[in-house]
Amino acid sequence: MRNTDDFLIFYHLIEQGSFSKAADQVGLTKSVVSKRITRLEQDLGVQLVYRTTRKLTLTEAGEVFFGHAREVYYSVQNAEEAMSGLGESLTGTIRLTVPTISGELLLPKAISEFSAKYPEIHIDMDLDNRFVDIVKEGFDLAIRTGELPDSSFIARRLVDAHWVICGAPEYFARNGVPKVASELVNHNCLAYSYQETGAKEWLFKGKNKPYTIKVNGNFTTNNASALRRAALFGQGLVYVPKVLVAEDLKAGSLIEVLQEQVAKCLGIYAMYPYTRHQPIKVKLFIEHLYQCYQKHEDNF
């Protein structure tokens, strides 16, 4: 196995752009660094850099090796920061922004358990269904569902959220139970307007690819709790994340239909800005959230 120092010396050589500056970074002499790079190239059997009096240029092999060298450097840095972070005073505030469903269901329990472990850390949770600019508005992290458009953020997948179609027993007693998705046109379908596919475009599995069916109903809302209550009152069918109605399904107060045909499933992520200096309290909180979501995965 190659010595980690080889990766670190090569990383600093390319980052600094000269042997003398790289030598200063790693605490060696210029001649030793030069010899180490020459020996590295000999061991690998490829040339990694073109040397001129003015600059260093990476070869194709050098580009590949530098990518790995950079990963080794960041791994070492992160390990050192994590160890030093264990001595940090776990105090202060963690600001997070979350969608309404997450904020009203599992997160309160997760936060309560985290606060029991770390009572000096204050959790400031903002419930908002809009796409919040984490950096601009000063949040440490966000809980987001679905597509992740911004690659400048790091995303930790917490769980996959499956959606279900369900209604109250009394609704089905009056209107019958749909056996196939096409029969939904004959049902009162209550719409949840906070979803990217549209409030009345419900997604189903097809033979080759998913397809949507346009439904209709007499109630639309952007509040998931209000939608759930309407379903419990027997007003109509709802297409919602399973976690919203998991306890109702277990109790039999809501009944799931078209289970094998529903196609919607979205990832839930903890997202935070890319930084090598993530506070240890935020790292601990994200790991705690992951364990909590995984523990309750059956509800999703």
Side-chain angles (χ1 to χ4, degrees):
M1 182 178 293
R2 181 150 303 283
N3 192 316
T4 302
D5 287 346
D6 289 339
F7 291 93
L8 297 178
I9 290 172
F10 190 76
Y11 170 80
H12 286 296
L13 174 65
I14 303 307
E15 281 292 295
Q16 298 299 321
S18 75
F19 283 91
S20 57
K21 291 181 180 179
D24 291 339
Q25 288 290 321
V26 297
L28 299 173
T29 63
K30 178 181 176 181
S31 61
V32 169
V33 170
S34 179
K35 290 177 182 178
R36 289 287 295 267
I37 297 299
T38 299
R39 190 176 68 189
L40 175 62
E41 291 178 320
Q42 291 172 346
D43 290 346
L44 294 174
V46 294
Q47 186 174 0
L48 299 175
V49 290
Y50 296 118
R51 302 163 174 83
T52 68
T53 55
R54 290 182 175 272
K55 66 177 182 177
L56 301 172
T57 304
L58 285 169
T59 64
E60 183 178 356
E63 291 277 4
V64 174
F65 192 82
F66 178 67
H68 293 292
R70 182 170 50 206
E71 290 180 7
V72 170
Y73 172 77
Y74 283 135
S75 294
V76 171
Q77 288 293 102
N78 287 335
E80 291 178 350
E81 289 168 7
M83 291 302 100
S84 64
L86 293 176
E88 290 181 11
S89 176
L90 295 176
T91 60
T93 299
I94 298 175
R95 295 192 67 222
L96 69 153
T97 173
V98 302
T100 303
I101 291 180
S102 295
E104 292 180 346
L105 295 175
L106 188 58
L107 274 177
K109 176 178 172 60
I111 291 172
S112 178
E113 292 173 348
F114 184 81
S115 295
K117 292 181 182 179
Y118 308 103
E120 298 302 314
I121 298 177
H122 177 80
I123 305 297
D124 183 353
M125 181 174 70
D126 184 70
L127 271 65
D128 200 328
N129 284 337
R130 68 187 175 89
F131 195 85
V132 175
D133 186 324
I134 305 174
V135 175
K136 185 177 180 180
E137 300 189 33
F139 287 98
D140 294 296
L141 72 150
I143 305 299
R144 287 185 177 161
T145 302
E147 298 297 323
L148 304 176
D150 196 334
S151 60
S152 65
F153 289 86
I154 297 175
R156 175 77 182 273
R157 176 190 164 277
L158 302 176
V159 74
D160 285 333
H162 298 83
W163 287 50
V164 298
I165 296 175
C166 58
E170 54 266 38
Y171 173 84
F172 293 121
R174 295 193 311 268
N175 301 280
V177 178
K179 302 298 183 182
V180 293
S182 59
E183 293 179 6
L184 290 175
V185 296
N186 300 318
H187 286 265
N188 191 37
C189 297
L190 314 181
Y192 180 41
S193 59
Y194 181 62
Q195 54 180 316
E196 73 287 347
T197 55
K200 297 184 178 182
E201 299 290 332
W202 290 9
L203 189 67
F204 294 92
K205 298 174 183 176
K207 288 184 178 181
N208 300 313
K209 62 180 181 179
Y211 67 96
T212 59
I213 288 181
K214 186 172 179 62
V215 299
N216 287 292
N218 59 11
F219 181 56
T220 300
T221 178
N222 66 350
N223 184 276
S225 295
L227 195 69
R228 168 181 168 268
R229 296 294 295 174
L232 287 169
F233 289 137
Q235 186 174 348
L237 303 182
V238 294
Y239 190 166
V240 293
K242 180 182 176 182
V243 66
L244 178 68
V245 294
E247 297 304 317
D248 303 315
L249 295 174
K250 292 175 184 176
S253 49
L254 289 175
I255 298 173
E256 185 177 359
V257 296
L258 305 175
Q259 185 173 3
E260 300 302 320
Q261 300 175 52
V262 172
K264 193 164 186 177
C265 178
L266 301 173
I268 299 178
Y269 302 87
M271 293 186 60
Y272 53 98
Y274 178 79
T275 172
R276 290 191 293 105
H277 301 287
Q278 187 77 2
I280 188 66
K281 63 176 179 283
V282 176
K283 293 180 181 179
L284 289 171
F285 184 60
I286 292 173
E287 180 60 29
H288 176 78
L289 291 181
Y290 173 79
Q291 296 298 334
C292 187
Y293 273 79
Q294 288 296 302
K295 181 180 178 181
H296 296 87
E297 189 174 16
D298 288 347
N299 286 343
F300 289 87

